[in-house]
Amino acid sequence: MHIIPAIDLKDGKCVRLRQGQFHDITVYYNNPEEAALKWQSEGAKVLHVVDLDGAKSGKIQNLPAIKKIRKTFHGTIEVGGGIRKLEDIELLSIAGVDRVILGTVTVENPDFTKYVCKRFPDKIIAGIDAKDGFVAVKGWLEVTNIKATELAIKMQDYGVWGIIYTDISRDGMLSGPNIEATKAVVEAVKVPVIASGGVSSIDDIIRLSEIESLWGVIIGKALYHGTVNLKEAIDLIESKKK
């Protein structure tokens, strides 16, 4: 299981939002590439980058910061945040981003999702955000009547590389991940699944690592608050493999 640090971008800075609320914001780094360097030095092989301004506007807003992170970080970078257009995927691809995360558009425009999966093989991740097991869209503002597991199966059929499953009631709350909901998504599909939301301690990471075939876990606030030490978490998972 990969331990994946999150870098959320707003106005070119590395920030965290509490439960996705734009008025509840903390700035951690004015230069997000410094965060990328820190996580790299502690052993991160994958970075999760979110363009929060893009998520709000539906168009990439933090490309310069993403390019700086790409120059700094030697591992795999996945980027999401309001990506709904072919040209944005192309821009990110040209910038050296390894995988692009699609959210709302996977629900609203299935044909587009299928097309880009074919156009960019092994580059598209479906970001499934859910509350009480049901998919939320448009920056978590609308909860649909689509089950997260149903959407996961559909995305697998479309040809996505993998799925990021976020329990939005837990995100940024340090309240622990939703193990059962995450396990249900992992068991529903054969593509890689990455868990996101609520990780607050090493104990949470251990519990997630017990979900068979879970590919990775994204950690945000817990790293920036210091309640999880990245190197310690990576070392722990590596030692469990032996």
Side-chain angles (χ1 to χ4, degrees), residues 3-24:
I3 310 290
I4 306 169
I7 297 180
D8 288 0
L9 300 172
K10 186 170 191 324
D11 302 324
K13 298 171 183 173
C14 171
V15 306
R16 292 301 291 166
L17 304 185
R18 185 180 158 96
Q19 278 198 304
Q21 299 297 314
F22 276 78
H23 59 80
D24 199 342

Side-chain angles (χ1 to χ4, degrees), residues 89 148 156 233:
I89 299 173
Q156 175 176 264

Side-chain angles (χ1 to χ4, degrees), residues 5-220:
I7 297 180
D8 288 0
L9 300 172
K10 186 170 191 324
D11 302 324
K13 298 171 183 173
C14 171
V15 306
R16 292 301 291 166
L17 304 185
R18 185 180 158 96
Q19 278 198 304
Q21 299 297 314
F22 276 78
H23 59 80
D24 199 342
I25 188 168
T26 307
V27 176
Y28 289 105
Y29 290 89
N30 285 321
N31 300 307
E33 64 271 25
E34 290 174 18
L37 265 181
K38 177 177 167 60
W39 304 138
Q40 180 166 269
S41 72
E42 292 183 15
K45 300 281 192 295
V46 186
L47 267 190
H48 176 78
V49 180
V50 179
D51 182 343
L52 293 172
D53 301 301
K56 207 170 183 182
S57 70
K59 189 176 188 303
I60 295 175
Q61 301 290 336
N62 282 284
L63 192 59
I66 292 165
K67 285 178 175 175
K68 285 178 188 170
I69 290 168
R70 176 68 285 176
K71 279 184 184 161
T72 304
F73 189 77
H74 304 314
T76 298
I77 297 177
E78 57 188 40
V79 175
I83 298 163
R84 291 166 206 165
K85 296 184 177 74
L86 183 64
E87 49 265 41
D88 282 352
I89 299 173
E90 285 172 338
L91 277 174
L92 290 169
S93 196
I94 291 162
V97 168
D98 299 283
R99 297 186 190 116
V100 175
I101 305 153
L102 303 183
T104 299
V105 74
T106 62
V107 177
E108 294 188 340
N109 195 341
D111 289 340
F112 173 78
T113 308
K114 284 182 202 169
Y115 172 73
V116 295
C117 284
K118 285 195 180 78
R119 174 87 180 262
F120 303 94
D122 292 330
K123 270 196 174 246
I124 305 297
I125 297 176
I128 299 179
D129 303 332
K131 190 170 188 180
D132 304 321
F134 289 92
V135 175
V137 294
K138 294 184 180 167
W140 305 352
L141 297 173
E142 291 178 22
V143 178
T144 68
N145 59 1
I146 303 163
K147 282 188 175 174
T149 48
E150 287 171 11
L151 184 59
I153 291 164
K154 196 181 273 188
M155 290 302 108
Q156 175 176 264
D157 293 344
Y158 288 176
V160 297
W161 172 85
I163 288 158
I164 293 171
Y165 177 73
T166 305
D167 188 296
I168 66 175
S169 61
R170 312 279 179 123
D171 188 72
M173 300 302 289
L174 300 180
S175 58
N178 189 329
I179 299 291
E180 286 312 307
T182 304
K183 192 165 181 262
V185 174
V186 173
E187 289 175 351
V189 294
K190 293 184 174 67
V191 295
V193 175
I194 298 169
S196 171
V199 172
S200 62
S201 65
I202 285 286
D203 285 346
D204 289 337
I205 294 166
I206 291 167
R207 285 166 66 221
L208 282 164
S209 73
E210 285 161 3
I211 300 175
E212 202 175 326
S213 301
L214 182 66
W215 192 88
V217 56
I218 294 165
I219 310 178

